[in-house]
Amino acid sequence: MSAELDLSPPEVPEPTFLESILRYGLFLGAIFQLICILAIIFPSSKGHEQEETESTDGKAAEQMKKTKGPAPQIRQKAKKESKKKR
């Protein structure tokens, strides 16, 4: 009885090319997810600096719009006059 025990490891087939791609793709996906989670937990300070510059740019853009206000009125008057001439 004990002389007939087969203690050799079971035969495992070699992984196919598709299985290898899938395996490494899953590893890359897991690494990407970890990087994303770490980016949320430890945000960089560059983001805060960009928000400050965007808010100042927004104020400057509003001032530019205010100064450009009369220009469209002149265009509208010119269009109305050209229509009256017809």
Side-chain angles (χ1 to χ4, degrees), residues 15-30:
T16 62
F17 181 69
L18 184 62
E19 289 173 344
S20 298
I21 291 176
L22 182 62
R23 181 179 179 186
Y24 291 115
L26 289 172
F27 281 126
L28 289 174

Side-chain angles (χ1 to χ4, degrees), residues 48-64:
H48 299 295
E49 293 172 1
Q50 289 177 351
E51 289 174 4
E52 292 173 2
T53 57
E54 287 176 1
S55 64
T56 57
D57 289 344
K59 291 177 184 175
E62 289 175 9
Q63 292 175 354
M64 294 280 285

Side-chain angles (χ1 to χ4, degrees), residues 24-51:
Y24 291 115
L26 289 172
F27 281 126
L28 289 174
I31 291 169
F32 178 75
Q33 287 181 356
L34 288 175
I35 290 171
C36 290
I37 291 169
L38 290 175
I40 292 171
I41 294 172
F42 302 111
S44 64
S45 60
K46 291 181 183 177
H48 299 295
E49 293 172 1
Q50 289 177 351
E51 289 174 4

Side-chain angles (χ1 to χ4, degrees), residues 56-86:
T56 57
D57 289 344
K59 291 177 184 175
E62 289 175 9
Q63 292 175 354
M64 294 280 285
K65 287 180 184 176
K66 289 178 184 176
T67 58
K68 292 183 180 178
Q73 292 175 354
I74 294 169
R75 291 180 190 161
Q76 289 175 354
K77 288 180 183 178
K79 288 180 181 178
K80 287 180 182 178
E81 290 175 6
S82 67
K83 286 183 180 179
K84 287 180 184 178
K85 292 178 182 176
R86 292 181 189 174

